[in-house]
């Protein structure tokens, strides 16, 4: 089966690390639980979109960016999926983050999935995640962003949605909400079995 995986907050703890960076830079402490939006300027990282982008770029150039940790059980889970499926990481990270992103993947994952850059969270989407999934024949995506989850679900894809403060209230018959990778794998295995039978 072809499976799409988001990267930040599905495989890596991006928010925890940028909040650590922001605290060291400004002395301001923001809690992850208060992230009601993934638009950083709406939760206090920079007063404007432009300031938020500048902070993300500074974070990318810092040593803390290279120390981003995987989410619990993510590495084992992705490698498990890679053994049985064709896995694509579909990220809206800027293309300028490509080198560091792929270095992290090479360091932490035993096998390398194909990485697709869907656009740029600095300038907006190039291609939508839905259009990329349709082009590649992906029928299932694991996501944390509510807008991408809804877009894909409305387009007929099955979506495993990691429960986060910024995606509350997002519902669709094609969305299955999970709390961790153990729950996600259980749901993916169920969907895979149904697909094989059909």
């Amino acid at each position: 089966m072809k499976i799409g995986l988001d990267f930040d907050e599905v495989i890596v703890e991006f928010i925890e690390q940028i909040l650590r960076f922001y605290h060291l830079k400004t002395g301001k402490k923001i809690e992850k639980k208060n992230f009601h939006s993934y638009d950083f300027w709406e939760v206090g990282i920079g007063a404007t979109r432009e300031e938020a982008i500048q902070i993300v770029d500074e974070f990318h150039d810092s040593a803390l960016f290279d120390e981003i940790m995987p989410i619990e059980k993510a590495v084992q889970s992705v490698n498990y999926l890679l053994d049985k499926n064709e896995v694509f990481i579909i990220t809206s990270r800027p293309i300028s983050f490509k080198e560091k992103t792929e270095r992290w993947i090479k360091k932490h994952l035993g096998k390398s999935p194909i990485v697709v850059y869907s656009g740029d969270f600095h300038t907006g989407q190039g291609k939508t995640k839905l259009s990329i999934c349709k082009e590649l024949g992906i029928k299932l995506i694991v996501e944390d962003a509510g807008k991408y989850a809804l877009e894909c679900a409305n387009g007929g894809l099955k979506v495993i949605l990691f429960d986060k403060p910024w995606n509350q209230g997002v519902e669709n018959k094609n969305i299955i909400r999970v709390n961790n990778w153990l729950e996600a794998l259980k749901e993916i295995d169920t969907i895979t079995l149904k697909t094989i039978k059909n």
Side-chain angles (χ1 to χ4, degrees), residues 44-148:
I45 296 182
T48 64
R49 188 174 189 279
E50 290 69 31
E51 280 182 29
I53 288 169
Q54 184 180 339
I55 290 161
V56 172
D57 284 340
E58 287 174 20
F59 171 53
H60 171 264
D61 293 336
S62 75
L64 281 176
F65 188 92
D66 300 321
E67 296 166 10
I68 292 175
M69 296 302 294
I71 284 175
E72 187 178 2
K73 302 288 184 192
V75 169
Q76 303 94 313
S77 300
V78 175
N79 280 324
Y80 169 81
L81 292 174
L82 279 163
D83 280 341
K84 301 180 175 186
N85 306 278
E86 196 173 350
V87 177
F88 299 82
I89 291 175
I90 305 171
T91 178
S92 58
R93 278 187 175 190
I95 198 75
S96 59
F97 286 20
K98 183 177 192 282
E99 185 182 334
K100 284 193 170 188
T101 300
E102 293 180 11
R103 190 187 306 155
W104 189 98
I105 290 166
K106 189 173 181 181
K107 177 182 175 182
H108 290 275
L109 298 175
K111 300 174 182 176
S112 289
I114 296 163
V115 184
V116 181
Y117 295 85
S118 66
D120 186 328
F121 60 53
H122 285 9
T123 58
Q125 288 292 99
K127 286 185 176 180
T128 66
K129 289 196 177 187
L130 174 61
S131 67
I132 289 167
C133 288
K134 295 274 190 187
E135 283 175 20
L136 295 171
I138 294 167
K139 304 258 189 314
L140 168 68
I141 188 166
V142 184
E143 184 57 75
D144 72 290
K147 66 178 180 179
Y148 300 144

Side-chain angles (χ1 to χ4, degrees), residues 9-49:
E9 296 306 310
V10 167
I11 298 174
V12 299
E13 290 274 12
F14 188 87
I15 296 293
E16 294 283 2
Q17 198 72 339
I18 196 169
L19 289 179
R20 195 170 293 127
F21 171 81
Y22 189 67
H23 179 60
L24 288 170
K25 175 182 167 65
T26 66
K28 295 177 185 173
K29 196 162 179 65
I30 301 171
E31 300 286 337
K32 184 175 180 177
K33 65 184 180 185
N34 296 327
F35 255 67
H36 58 85
S37 168
Y38 208 78
D39 292 329
F40 292 173
W41 59 95
E42 291 184 2
V43 292
I45 296 182
T48 64
R49 188 174 189 279

